[in-house]
């Protein structure tokens, strides 16, 4: 029996949150109602809470990394069934605009995003179109809630060139940095180095397959590891100064991958001549674009391990504590809410 109301978290305005009771959404035509089991905090959620994300408006129920069970279906649903264990791509393109017509679905001119522009998964139930729902089989919900961030990595991998034998450098060894490191190796990078301030994160990166894990004070080791520089340099910090400084580590002809999310009004200073003289390529990758199945396959195959990235699991009643951990605890990795 689906109740009439549900617990849900709300961002009322920048910095203002509450856990309240909201009506359970009704699945419309072509939609399914998912009972959320796990939902993770993303760096984008923190930017939204700070009022730094241009797509979002308040009030908002956030949460776009999630997994759960289908409890109801709307009219016209063809494939999904009640009781099915699923996750969902939160990005909902219109399929009709000029960007969608050229398959740039993540650049849709009328893009809706669960947890960003419409009600998300920091709630007991969320309704989304069937067309963005993916079955997860027996995959644990905590792991399945990491499919969305890995799908973002998979989209970026389609945007850059990774060749067998390449060396890659990842700046940041948090949850996204560890996903980037593993995915780069799965894509063909022969060696991947990681930089972070936190020793425990560096050790986790090594445990997950990094070939070198160092602090910023130890970057002299990069010269011995990759004397000519790295074919791929990926920033997972979203800090403009860090991204600008990372360019010096790229090999001539290499690619600098802008993956971390900076505030939408942030700027950085780079040398156009350096890009010109060294044949460098600067590549951004935003969200996902039909890469959920790629991410599911990477996890199911064991090529990317996600379970070790979850450091904290809290009930939704501890919503503020979860965001405190996600923003300020130096020991945290992925923080998730258990809504089951």
């Amino acid at each position: 029996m689906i109740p009439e109301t549900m617990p849900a978290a709300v961002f009322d305005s920048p910095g203002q949150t509450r856990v309240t009771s909201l009506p359970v959404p009704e699945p419309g035509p072509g939609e399914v109602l998912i009972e959320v089991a796990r939902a993770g905090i993303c760096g984008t959620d923190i930017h939204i809470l700070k009022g730094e994300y241009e797509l979002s408006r308040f009030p908002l129920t956030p949460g776009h990394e999630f997994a759960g069970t289908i409890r109801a279906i709307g009219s016209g649903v063809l494939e999904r069934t009640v009781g099915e264990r699923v996750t969902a791509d939160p990005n909902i393109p219109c399929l009709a605009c000029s960007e969608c017509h050229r398959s740039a679905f993540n650049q849709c001119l009328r893009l809706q995003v669960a947890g960003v522009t419409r009600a998300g998964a920091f709630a007991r139930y969320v309704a989304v179109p069937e067309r963005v729902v993916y079955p997860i089989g027996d995959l644990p919900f905590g792991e399945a809630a990491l499919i969305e961030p890995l799908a973002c990595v998979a989209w970026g991998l389609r945007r850059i060139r990774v060749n067998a034998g390449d060396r890659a450098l990842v700046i940041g060894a948090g949850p996204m940095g560890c996903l980037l490191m593993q995915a780069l190796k799965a894509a063909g990078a022969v060696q991947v180095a990681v930089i972070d301030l936190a020793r425990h994160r560096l050790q986790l990166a090594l445990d997950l397959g990094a070939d070198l894990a160092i602090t910023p004070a130890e970057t002299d080791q990069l010269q011995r590891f990759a004397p000519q520089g790295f074919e791929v340099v990926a920033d997972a910090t979203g800090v403009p100064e860090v991204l600008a400084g990372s360019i010096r580590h790229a090999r001539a002809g290499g690619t600098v991958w802008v993956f971390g999310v900076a505030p939408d009004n942030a700027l950085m200073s780079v040398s156009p001549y350096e890009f010109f003289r060294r044949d460098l390529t600067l590549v951004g990758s935003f969200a996902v674009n039909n890469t959920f199945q790629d991410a599911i396959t990477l996890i199911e195959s064991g090529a990317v391990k996600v379970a070790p990235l979850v450091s904290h699991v809290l009930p939704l009643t501890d919503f503020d504590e979860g965001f405190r951990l996600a923003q300020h605890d130096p020991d945290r990795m992925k923080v998730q809410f258990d809504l089951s």
Side-chain angles (χ1 to χ4, degrees), residues 219-281:
T219 53
D220 59 305
Q221 296 184 40
L222 297 178
Q223 178 64 30
R224 296 191 296 272
F225 187 79
Q228 305 304 319
F230 294 86
E231 284 81 7
V232 176
V233 176
D235 174 70
T237 70
V239 179
E241 296 81 4
V242 174
L243 173 61
S246 73
I247 295 169
R248 70 182 185 273
H249 299 302
R251 185 172 191 168
T255 297
V256 178
W257 180 3
V258 184
F259 184 86
V261 181
D264 60 13
N265 61 351
L267 300 173
M268 71 174 184
S269 179
V270 299
S271 167
Y273 181 81
E274 185 175 6
F275 278 82
F276 158 74
R277 177 63 181 86
R278 299 208 292 125
D279 284 332
L280 297 178
T281 301

Side-chain angles (χ1 to χ4, degrees), residues 117-336:
T117 67
R118 57 184 271 171
F122 290 151
R124 189 71 175 116
Y125 295 91
V126 62
V128 294
E130 176 194 26
R131 60 185 168 90
V132 300
V133 174
Y134 291 77
I136 60 170
D138 296 328
L139 198 66
F141 287 126
E143 295 184 33
L146 280 155
I147 290 170
E148 191 276 343
L150 183 54
C152 294
V153 174
W155 170 237
L157 286 174
R158 292 190 187 180
R159 298 267 298 137
I160 68 171
R161 300 187 305 272
V162 181
N163 299 309
D166 281 356
R167 288 184 173 88
L169 174 64
V170 176
I171 315 295
M176 298 312 304
C178 286
L179 290 177
L180 283 162
M181 179 275 296
Q182 295 181 81
L184 282 162
K185 298 200 81 169
V190 67
Q191 290 180 314
V192 182
V194 177
I195 299 175
D196 199 279
L197 291 167
R199 290 287 184 184
H200 72 281
R201 287 185 168 187
L202 295 174
Q203 184 57 56
L204 178 57
L206 289 170
D207 293 343
L208 292 171
D211 299 286
L212 178 69
I214 60 174
T215 68
E218 300 167 323
T219 53
D220 59 305
Q221 296 184 40
L222 297 178
Q223 178 64 30
R224 296 191 296 272
F225 187 79
Q228 305 304 319
F230 294 86
E231 284 81 7
V232 176
V233 176
D235 174 70
T237 70
V239 179
E241 296 81 4
V242 174
L243 173 61
S246 73
I247 295 169
R248 70 182 185 273
H249 299 302
R251 185 172 191 168
T255 297
V256 178
W257 180 3
V258 184
F259 184 86
V261 181
D264 60 13
N265 61 351
L267 300 173
M268 71 174 184
S269 179
V270 299
S271 167
Y273 181 81
E274 185 175 6
F275 278 82
F276 158 74
R277 177 63 181 86
R278 299 208 292 125
D279 284 332
L280 297 178
T281 301
L282 186 68
V283 176
S285 64
F286 170 67
V288 310
N289 190 354
N290 280 337
T291 47
F292 253 61
Q293 192 57 56
D294 295 357
I296 292 170
T297 301
L298 283 169
I299 295 173
E300 289 181 338
S301 70
V304 173
K305 295 178 174 60
V306 297
L309 301 181
V310 180
S311 61
H312 295 79
V313 181
L314 292 79
L316 191 64
T317 50
D318 290 343
F319 188 72
D320 285 343
E321 173 64 9
F323 270 78
R324 186 196 69 79
L325 290 168
Q327 293 183 78
H328 303 299
D329 189 336
D331 294 328
R332 65 94 184 141
M333 288 292 283
K334 177 61 69 175
V335 178
Q336 292 184 342

Side-chain angles (χ1 to χ4, degrees), residues 96-129:
C97 71
S98 58
E99 297 304 305
C100 287
H101 282 176
R102 66 186 186 97
S103 298
F105 300 113
N106 62 328
Q107 300 296 333
C108 170
L109 299 178
R110 290 182 286 273
L111 184 67
Q112 292 290 303
V113 186
V116 178
T117 67
R118 57 184 271 171
F122 290 151
R124 189 71 175 116
Y125 295 91
V126 62
V128 294

Side-chain angles (χ1 to χ4, degrees), residues 34-57:
I34 299 173
E35 184 179 17
V36 180
R38 283 284 184 95
I41 298 176
C42 172
T44 300
D45 296 319
I46 295 171
H47 284 297
I48 294 171
L49 179 58
K50 292 179 177 179
E52 297 174 342
Y53 203 65
E54 64 175 347
L55 296 179
S56 297
R57 298 292 181 270

